[in-house]
Amino acid sequence: MFDDKTETKTMNMIEAIRDAHDVMMERDSNVVVFGEDVGYFGGVFRCTAGLQEKYGKSRAFDTPISENGIVGAAVGMAAYGLRPCVEVQFADYMFPAYDQITQEAARLRFRSKGQFTAPMTIRMPTGGGIFGGMTHSQSPEALFTHVAGLKTVIPCTPYDAKGLLISAIEDDDPVIFLEPKRLYNGPFDGHHDRPVVPWSKHPAGEVPVGYYNIPLGKAATIREGSDVTVLAYGTMRFVAEVAAEETGVDAEILDLRTLLPLDLEAIEQSVRKTGRCVIIHEATRTSGFGAELLSIVQESCFYHLEAPVMRVTGWDTPYPHAQEWEYFPGPKRVGEALKKVMEAA
Amino acid sequence: MNDNKNDYAPLALHVPEPPYRPGDTPDFSDFEIPAAGEVPMPPVDAPLAELSYLSHDIIRVLDDKGKAQGTWVKNIDDELLDKGLRAMMRTRAFDDRMQKAQRQGKTSFYMQCTGEEAIATAQRMALLDTDMHFPTYRQQGLLFAQDWPVDKMMNQIYSNVEDDLEGLQLPVLYSFKEAGYFTVSGNLATQYIQAVGWGMASAIKGDTNIAAAWIGDGATAEGDFHAAMVFAGVYQAPVILNVVDNRWAISTYHDIAGAGTATFAQRASGYGLAALRVDGNDWLAAYAASRWAAERARRGHGATFIEWVTYRAGAHSTSDDPSKYRPKEEHEAWPLGDPIDRLKKHLIVKKLWSEERHTQAEAQYADEMRSEAEKAEANGTLHQYDRPRPSSKSVFENVYKEMPEHLRRQRQEMGV
Ligand SMILES: Cc1ncc(C[n+]2csc(CCOP(=O)(O)OP(=O)(O)O)c2C)c(N)n1
Ligand SMILES: [Mg+2]
């Protein structure tokens, strides 16, 4: 991570994201930030607080409530030479922008043979765990990874969020930056009945001051183990950790961090070593990103596998309100999968 | 025109700002308000070209003394006025109670409509039971205007076992088909065009039903709003297109949607729609304008757009703190007053009401909401896990008409 001499500060994920913006706006005057409630107020989750005051209204500003407007304008600005980093208030509200994201931003480079490009970042809070019901809880990552020309990133700690957001802003292609909103204020392992743990109690809440980056496309091994590889990202990384602890299964947990481009090597190495694999995500199962991971594991590690690969995911239904904890794939379901995959001969 | 680029000064981005931020003293003295009665009512079959004055003036009926002025309101029934006032008062009492319940941790979320009660209550009373409203989260007044059972709303807010929606949907995103209250989406603006589709369906089938579309100032920036305006204009759909301009969209000032250079109604004129601008805090104006628009739609003269000039007196929702982005005093300084106070004054002038009766009614509705809340809470509240809860099975139901096999298996996996 970083050596002892690096100056660090305790940050939650919101502060880390804000800091990444600050660092990049300071370094590169082409970085502009906008979205609904993003300017004066600093975002409904406060991820852009203070930026307008520091960098002025033409570099950090409020937009009309039009997600396709936000993304479409960002495409035009990026093509001109700016580096927009825009916010969609919730991933659930990106759908009006889906045309601009998938048909325009994603293909500008390809269809113009590189004459026009869209170096832009689209941030959006994702995932459940906050009683947001069907319109503040969805996990649409597979709708982005399915599209050629987009990169998709999903950090789950303040340290990663800052380093990855800096890389996303510096990247010359459009990057979808999904922020698991349940993790903004602290790690969450799915035990909703236990006291909330703040980031100040977690080592990844120590964030270097100033510039650093974490390259896109690199997974992190959160826990080494020999029994089974768990492929996780977002909030599920913490669920995986607690499930391994509670079941005593010696799981090797990979936090994928970037879904596209994917760290194939890390996945293959680990699964070949353990011979077992459990894939977990909050998103619905059918055609979810887990299906892609499962195919990759099957194609490249088949002869190393000792048990069928399992998935633990959200159900194939809209995200319910009162039934949040029956829907959210918590430690119990993940633990059962870990045990089951170990039972197989 | 000049070919020499050096003759031009560098451009700068224009970003609209609200006139007042926290710490400023709000002053609306230059806000143009026509006197009550000043804007005349045209016939519903008047050609569009004769309606353009309605898109920049403000239709007002109640004057400062509580008297009804002008041509928009004639011979209004005393009973209707009484009903309107009570509907607004009950809406407010309900909001107060549910806001408190959220603060007490009994649900995840609540949204008040404080200061905007006249608009929805009056419009519901101006339309028929067979018409359909496509509300946002801020039109609960539509329900109080028809004395909809409060327990149904509270059980939904608490996501308890008696909730008709079985806890699946966020608080206040009700669905009451029998009340002409379309299932509320959390995604802004999507339903504006659906309302137009509903109206078009009525025309296709040769019925006389109309639809009412609802949206806030901020959400008019969405593409679906534009689609609705185009379709409504092209097909002369029998709809009322309401924009509730309460000046704020969470922290965003309405000029960020409207640019501040034209009224929302003037924009609507450009789509070939009849467009009115109405004092949204004037119950009589709200009722009369809604009647006019409904009559126009039902007689086949097409869609009417109504811009409601009002102010969001409360926070956006229980997740919001407006003192961070607007002066606390702004609501008090806002010149159109409070809709309940204004109708109350009118009823007092007409000798139909008194201060004492008002105070009494306030206490009565506060009591009503307290005891209704207690009853609803006896059915459980959102975070009570030691009580019967909405069924887990329901998560898998109604995704499709018939449950496909993969969902059946997932339900089994859940163990229900
Ligand atoms: C498509 C979409 N984008 C963003 C949001 C988040 N959001 C919910 S309400 C709101 C503000 C709406 O303001 P306005 O339309 O003025 O209505 P008001 O709340 O003032 O009644 C926003 C941005 C959403 N629900 N849907
Ligand atoms: Mg508004």
Side-chain angles (χ1 to χ4, degrees):
Chain A
M1 296 230 297
F2 42 91
D3 58 46
D4 294 343
K5 286 186 218 80
T6 318
E7 195 195 335
T8 66
K9 236 179 117 179
T10 308
M11 295 185 197
N12 63 28
M13 204 149 142
I14 293 164
E15 291 160 336
I17 289 164
R18 183 193 303 157
D19 197 35
H21 281 101
D22 192 6
V23 167
M24 289 311 295
M25 290 179 87
E26 182 85 55
R27 278 170 76 98
D28 182 353
S29 61
N30 285 321
V31 176
V32 292
V33 172
F34 52 96
E36 295 157 21
D37 302 293
V38 155
Y40 182 87
F41 184 57
V44 292
F45 288 104
R46 323 293 291 132
C47 290
T48 56
L51 299 177
Q52 182 173 82
E53 207 177 353
K54 187 161 173 191
Y55 298 102
K57 279 203 300 182
S58 59
R59 292 189 61 202
F61 53 91
D62 289 325
T63 64
I65 302 174
S66 168
E67 292 74 15
N68 70 332
I70 292 166
V71 176
V75 172
M77 291 180 199
Y80 190 93
L82 296 181
R83 245 168 224 285
C85 179
V86 302
E87 177 175 301
V88 171
Q89 204 162 80
F90 284 86
D92 312 68
Y93 302 141
M94 71 83 185
F95 293 92
Y98 199 56
D99 191 23
Q100 286 289 345
I101 296 172
T102 64
Q103 309 299 292
E104 302 301 321
R107 303 197 301 214
L108 222 55
R109 178 187 297 283
F110 186 82
R111 75 177 198 229
S112 70
K113 273 282 173 200
Q115 283 176 27
F116 297 101
T117 60
M120 56 192 271
T121 304
I122 309 173
R123 296 176 37 247
M124 45 185 105
T126 188
I130 62 153
F131 282 90
M134 65 188 76
T135 50
H136 305 83
S137 308
Q138 296 171 84
S139 299
E141 63 273 12
L143 299 177
F144 301 117
T145 57
H146 196 54
V147 176
L150 298 176
K151 295 183 178 175
T152 301
V153 178
I154 175 163
C156 64
T157 66
Y159 175 78
D160 283 357
K162 180 173 169 186
L164 286 166
L165 183 54
I166 287 175
S167 290
I169 295 172
E170 288 183 324
D171 200 279
D172 288 334
D173 285 310
V175 180
I176 305 294
F177 196 83
L178 297 163
E179 300 166 3
K181 65 181 88 72
R182 176 63 210 229
L183 302 180
Y184 274 147
N185 290 303
F188 175 66
D189 63 13
H191 283 297
H192 56 93
D193 45 355
R194 295 187 187 163
V196 176
V197 182
W199 278 115
S200 55
K201 297 260 165 63
H202 194 281
E206 279 304 302
V207 178
V209 170
Y211 178 92
Y212 69 97
N213 65 40
I214 297 174
L216 305 187
K218 288 272 167 252
T221 305
I222 296 312
R223 181 187 193 281
E224 294 195 4
S226 55
D227 285 349
V228 47
T229 299
V230 178
L231 302 181
Y233 53 87
T235 311
M236 297 309 290
R237 164 237 155 122
F238 297 101
V239 178
E241 275 182 292
V242 80
E245 214 171 278
E246 286 167 2
T247 55
V249 173
D250 189 20
E252 176 145 301
I253 302 171
L254 261 58
D255 171 10
L256 298 176
R257 301 198 292 193
T258 303
L259 305 186
L260 204 146
L262 192 60
D263 192 343
L264 297 170
E265 224 165 280
I267 296 172
E268 287 163 6
Q269 252 177 27
S270 176
V271 177
R272 283 182 190 151
K273 180 178 93 178
T274 62
R276 289 179 163 85
C277 183
V278 171
I279 295 163
I280 60 179
H281 58 61
E282 282 184 63
T284 49
R285 175 172 309 190
T286 301
S287 305
F289 194 66
E292 182 60 34
L293 291 171
L294 204 151
S295 302
I296 289 167
V297 168
Q298 189 276 137
E299 283 161 6
S300 57
C301 310
F302 184 77
Y303 296 107
H304 298 266
L305 288 175
E306 291 164 43
V309 179
M310 291 191 67
R311 280 183 289 171
V312 184
T313 67
W315 311 113
D316 282 336
T317 73
Y319 203 112
H321 178 242
Q323 297 88 342
E324 174 103 46
W325 304 124
E326 283 116 296
Y327 187 92
F328 184 89
K332 187 158 160 274
R333 279 177 66 204
V334 175
E336 279 163 11
L338 290 178
K339 283 189 279 184
K340 199 158 166 205
V341 85
M342 293 312 297
E343 280 163 16
Chain B
M1 265 267 265
N2 190 334
D3 294 340
N4 184 358
K5 266 193 119 179
N6 297 331
D7 281 357
Y8 297 95
L11 292 164
L13 187 71
H14 170 71
V15 182
E17 261 298 302
Y20 309 109
R21 288 295 193 185
D24 297 338
T25 306
D27 175 4
F28 290 98
S29 51
D30 60 354
F31 184 77
E32 276 176 55
I33 315 169
E38 201 177 283
V39 182
M41 183 174 80
V44 294
D45 59 355
L48 277 183
E50 286 169 26
L51 300 177
S52 62
Y53 69 97
L54 294 168
S55 66
H56 50 87
D57 287 341
I58 302 178
I59 297 166
R60 306 179 72 231
V61 174
L62 287 172
D63 69 15
D64 292 348
K65 302 205 169 62
K67 285 221 171 88
Q69 304 288 357
T71 51
W72 284 85
V73 170
K74 291 164 227 143
N75 314 325
I76 200 163
D77 204 8
D78 290 348
E79 223 173 282
L80 200 67
L81 294 175
D82 185 75
K83 205 176 157 207
L85 181 66
R86 289 176 184 278
M88 288 199 283
M89 292 179 78
R90 286 181 75 236
T91 306
R92 190 166 293 181
F94 181 91
D95 276 356
D96 286 348
R97 194 72 227 168
M98 291 296 96
Q99 179 88 0
K100 278 199 194 94
Q102 194 279 340
R103 292 278 177 253
Q104 294 165 346
K106 290 171 181 166
T107 190
S108 53
F109 183 73
Y110 190 69
M111 297 181 96
Q112 300 177 296
C113 66
T114 313
E116 302 171 32
E117 293 92 345
I119 303 161
T121 54
Q123 184 156 116
R124 181 62 184 80
M125 286 163 65
L127 269 64
L128 302 179
D129 287 350
T130 42
D131 297 329
M132 184 59 79
H133 288 267
F134 290 72
T136 77
Y137 41 77
R138 231 184 278 287
Q139 272 79 51
Q140 53 266 54
L142 295 171
L143 296 165
F144 290 95
Q146 54 186 310
D147 292 324
W148 191 248
V150 163
D151 60 340
K152 282 186 172 291
M153 300 167 72
M154 288 184 173
N155 289 328
Q156 197 278 341
I157 289 164
Y158 290 137
S159 268
N160 65 28
V161 283
E162 293 298 323
D163 170 13
D164 294 341
L165 305 181
E166 301 198 66
L168 296 172
Q169 179 59 304
L170 271 183
V172 314
L173 302 188
Y174 312 114
S175 179
F176 294 121
K177 192 174 182 184
E178 295 152 79
Y181 201 91
F182 197 78
T183 158
V184 182
S185 175
N187 302 53
L188 293 173
T190 48
Q191 305 199 292
Y192 217 62
I193 177 67
Q194 294 167 9
V196 176
W198 185 281
M200 286 168 67
S202 169
I204 290 168
K205 298 206 38 139
D207 296 332
T208 55
N209 299 320
I210 69 169
W214 292 89
I215 204 167
D217 47 290
T220 62
E222 292 282 8
D224 283 337
F225 172 79
H226 176 79
M229 303 294 275
V230 173
F231 275 61
V234 167
Y235 297 107
Q236 300 191 359
V239 293
I240 304 178
L241 299 163
N242 295 289
V243 169
V244 181
D245 178 8
N246 60 12
R247 296 181 87 80
W248 292 95
I250 312 184
S251 76
T252 304
Y253 188 59
H254 66 170
D255 284 359
I256 291 279
T261 45
T263 67
F264 290 101
Q266 283 168 329
R267 286 182 168 184
S269 300
Y271 288 92
L273 296 165
L276 321 181
R277 203 160 171 248
V278 184
D279 179 346
N281 293 15
D282 176 340
W283 196 90
L284 283 181
Y287 179 76
S290 297
R291 282 281 298 212
W292 187 86
E295 183 66 9
R296 201 171 162 271
R298 224 183 294 281
R299 296 244 176 252
H301 302 300
T304 301
F305 178 96
I306 307 181
E307 170 184 336
W308 299 102
V309 184
T310 186
Y311 187 90
R312 193 194 78 208
H316 170 72
S317 73
T318 47
S319 314
D320 176 43
D321 174 8
S323 70
K324 293 267 187 333
Y325 52 81
R326 67 181 192 187
K328 280 200 176 76
E329 308 76 20
E330 195 175 71
H331 176 231
E332 281 300 307
W334 170 241
L336 295 181
D338 178 77
I340 296 182
D341 288 350
R342 285 175 65 190
L343 187 59
K344 168 184 130 188
K345 204 168 182 179
H346 179 60
L347 284 160
I348 293 175
V349 166
K350 291 190 85 172
K351 307 239 173 346
L352 297 168
W353 197 244
S354 67
E355 288 291 351
E356 298 74 58
R357 282 177 69 186
H358 195 82
T359 313
Q360 245 171 32
E362 269 176 348
Q364 178 196 335
Y365 297 138
D367 278 353
E368 177 199 353
M369 297 310 163
R370 187 179 314 115
S371 79
E372 287 286 352
E374 277 164 15
K375 275 191 272 171
E377 286 161 24
N379 301 324
T381 57
L382 179 61
H383 300 297
Q384 288 179 322
Y385 288 94
D386 52 351
R387 309 272 307 266
R389 294 182 61 78
S391 95
S392 309
K393 268 201 190 112
S394 65
V395 174
F396 297 92
E397 289 161 4
N398 290 299
V399 182
Y400 302 93
K401 185 174 175 201
E402 319 269 0
M403 194 180 298
E405 185 55 26
H406 75 285
L407 276 190
R408 204 174 301 283
R409 288 185 193 183
Q410 288 183 21
R411 193 183 68 183
Q412 258 166 20
E413 201 183 319
M414 194 205 254
V416 293

